Amino acid sequence: MGELRPSSVAVVLGTRPEIIKLGHLIRLLGPAARVIHTGQHYDATLTDVFFEAFGIATTGELVGVGGKARGDQIGLALSSLERAFLDDRPDAVVVQGDTNSTVAAALAANAREIPLIHVESGLRSFDRRMPEEHNRVITDHLADLCLAPTPTALENLTAEGIPEDRIIFTGNTIVEAVNTLLPSAGVRQEILSRQHVSSARYVLSTFHRPENVDDPTTLARIFDELARLPLPVLLPLHPRSKAHLSKFGIRPSDQIRIIEPIGYTDFLSLLAECAFAVSDSGGLQEEASIVKRPILVVRRSTERPEVLGTFARLVSTSQSMMAEAHDWILNPDEVHQGLTGIDTPFGDGSASQRSVDALADLIKGRQRQPTAADYVSSPAPHLTMK
Ligand code: UDP
């Protein structure tokens, strides 16, 4: 990105999925990127290994909001980022997704009148009980550029009155993350044997959303349902869920193998080879459609309706996982074969490049000195004399 000044684009991120979805874009920005990590995820298993996977060096700017309540996270990150942007003003601020870090950085950019670019804009679950939904709406309405990953996201933005000149359709950056980091079939088999599972004969599961892990009855029910599945379940457990399991005294059955969260290449390998996935993750719904594996989404709603009915099924915690995944359990190979013929709805793997081009144009447009032509506008149609 020759035309951008060194360290002129502040990329603010705070969690594992943000690193994954901004990793490629940061690499494309090269020296223009100034990565600021809010520390919302501070566990090394959720951060350092992901920076390493994408070859990203953080600048050492760390806001340090991990483990705090939502209001504290947003407030602390907002004031720290405002100060950081005042001390060294970036030409643009880039955020991704729906986290507290995302909305804090959006507010800080707004306070300092710095152009804001929102990657993965326009997702809506229409569930106002989810903090993520509010983070998305606020960020989209503050953004100077909303980068929409799918036609549905674009429609959501225009339906909310965001003008078309603030929206660009890019696809989702997850496609290039998976395409560049999914190991070869041979390496995947080595990773499977390290985890003692065989291709298409196990379930991969993750859980971390408050709606599932904050209530003891719901969490216990999820683990009961997982234990009823007639396949081994491999579950890299999020630190938040792990803490709640022990706090509520829930002892999962031996059928469920709980492991620490794992690095991205290992995780993608396990997803690409599983019989099916069971999760409340947003990103997993997208990745499943790229590696062609079915996924049970244990949620009240999804902001990724594009995969429902093909790669994904939405199940509530009162439904039977066994019944919902019945055909996937009976004929996994046939199901996988069928999914290979369906394209992912998340784009062609060029979203990061389109995003970088769009932000470079935005910065250039803002920096351009006005010319005489800018002041000579044609008269408004209703003033035109007949
Ligand atoms: N992931 C990973 N290792 C794990 C569990 C998940 O690399 O042990 C990745 C997964 O591939 C996906 C992302 O982490 O890209 C999802 O993160 P999370 O579920 O925390 O966030 P969400 O997608 O729900 O916002």
Side-chain angles (χ1 to χ4, degrees):
M1 292 311 303
E3 66 269 34
L4 298 176
R5 293 188 299 118
S7 301
S8 61
V9 179
V11 184
V12 183
L13 40 75
T15 65
R16 170 172 71 184
E18 290 165 84
I19 305 172
I20 292 170
K21 289 181 173 175
L22 290 171
H24 206 67
L25 185 150
I26 291 168
R27 287 177 64 168
L28 290 174
L29 281 174
R34 168 181 167 197
V35 179
I36 305 179
H37 178 26
T38 66
Q40 184 174 337
H41 277 172
Y42 52 94
D43 192 305
T45 61
L46 300 188
T47 54
D48 298 1
V49 290
F50 293 91
F51 282 121
E52 274 162 37
F54 285 95
I56 302 170
T58 56
T59 53
E61 285 183 89
L62 184 77
V63 179
V65 301
K68 299 199 164 56
R70 180 166 183 247
D72 290 336
Q73 284 193 334
I74 295 174
L76 276 172
L78 170 55
S79 57
S80 307
L81 289 168
E82 260 203 77
R83 253 196 322 277
F85 295 162
L86 184 66
D87 293 346
D88 184 359
R89 184 185 174 83
D91 292 336
V93 173
V94 177
V95 294
Q96 187 277 336
D98 57 20
T99 70
N100 294 339
S101 305
T102 309
V103 77
L107 289 164
N110 181 256
R112 294 277 167 235
E113 297 181 12
I114 301 167
L116 174 71
I117 292 106
H118 188 201
V119 175
E120 198 182 88
S121 173
L123 272 63
R124 295 290 182 270
S125 66
F126 302 102
D127 182 350
R128 288 177 50 79
R129 291 167 293 184
M130 291 182 75
E132 293 95 330
E133 183 75 351
H134 299 282
N135 291 347
R136 286 184 205 110
V137 172
I138 296 166
T139 307
D140 284 337
H141 284 260
L142 290 174
D144 295 276
L145 255 191
C146 294
L147 304 182
T150 64
T152 308
L154 196 145
E155 280 163 25
N156 290 338
L157 292 167
T158 49
E160 287 176 19
I162 295 181
E164 276 176 22
D165 62 0
R166 270 171 43 204
I167 308 171
I168 293 185
F169 177 72
T170 53
N172 196 311
T173 58
I174 193 68
V175 180
E176 45 268 36
V178 175
N179 288 347
T180 50
L181 290 173
L182 177 66
S184 65
V187 174
R188 296 206 293 267
Q189 290 311 319
E190 286 167 29
I191 292 163
L192 260 62
S193 63
R194 280 208 298 275
Q195 294 293 347
H196 313 290
V197 287
S198 325
S199 206
R201 300 295 178 268
Y202 66 95
V203 173
L204 182 68
S205 184
T206 72
F207 279 93
H208 72 93
R209 294 232 113 72
E211 73 183 71
N212 288 326
V213 306
D214 284 6
D215 171 58
T217 316
T218 308
L219 191 58
R221 166 120 189 108
I222 286 172
F223 275 88
D224 283 351
E225 281 297 316
L226 286 173
R228 285 205 180 91
L229 295 172
L231 290 168
V233 177
L234 192 59
L235 202 163
L237 198 57
H238 195 282
R240 172 190 174 86
S241 316
K242 188 178 176 184
H244 285 198
L245 266 192
S246 83
K247 181 171 149 196
F248 302 147
I250 300 169
R251 286 172 187 243
S253 128
D254 292 343
Q255 157 90 3
I256 304 167
R257 203 146 62 73
I258 294 181
I259 56 174
E260 290 293 310
I262 46 184
Y264 196 48
T265 49
D266 282 21
F267 189 83
L268 280 182
S269 299
L270 291 165
L271 181 65
E273 298 293 335
C274 69
F276 59 96
V278 181
S279 176
D280 58 10
S281 165
L284 241 75
Q285 299 169 51
E286 297 156 356
E287 291 160 340
S289 77
I290 303 165
V291 302
K292 315 300 179 197
R293 283 298 185 264
I295 176 166
L296 280 189
V297 181
V298 185
R299 297 257 306 265
R300 290 186 296 243
S301 59
T302 177
E303 55 295 303
R304 283 137 174 117
E306 296 89 347
V307 284
L308 290 181
T310 49
F311 297 98
R313 290 177 189 164
L314 199 60
V315 295
S316 74
T317 48
S318 57
Q319 284 175 291
S320 154
M321 290 181 192
M322 176 80 170
E324 292 303 313
H326 191 66
D327 49 330
W328 299 348
I329 294 165
L330 283 183
N331 299 307
D333 300 327
E334 218 172 279
V335 170
H336 300 160
Q337 193 55 39
L339 291 179
T340 54
I342 306 175
D343 287 338
T344 175
F346 297 108
D348 61 1
S350 307
S352 300
Q353 186 62 59
R354 288 194 192 100
S355 304
V356 168
D357 292 345
L359 86 86
D361 285 349
L362 180 75
I363 292 174
K364 270 187 281 171
R366 294 286 169 110
Q367 285 169 342
R368 190 172 62 89
Q369 293 302 313
T371 64
D374 290 312
Y375 299 106
V376 185
S377 55
S378 46
H382 65 281
L383 296 179
T384 309
M385 288 179 65
K386 294 257 159 55

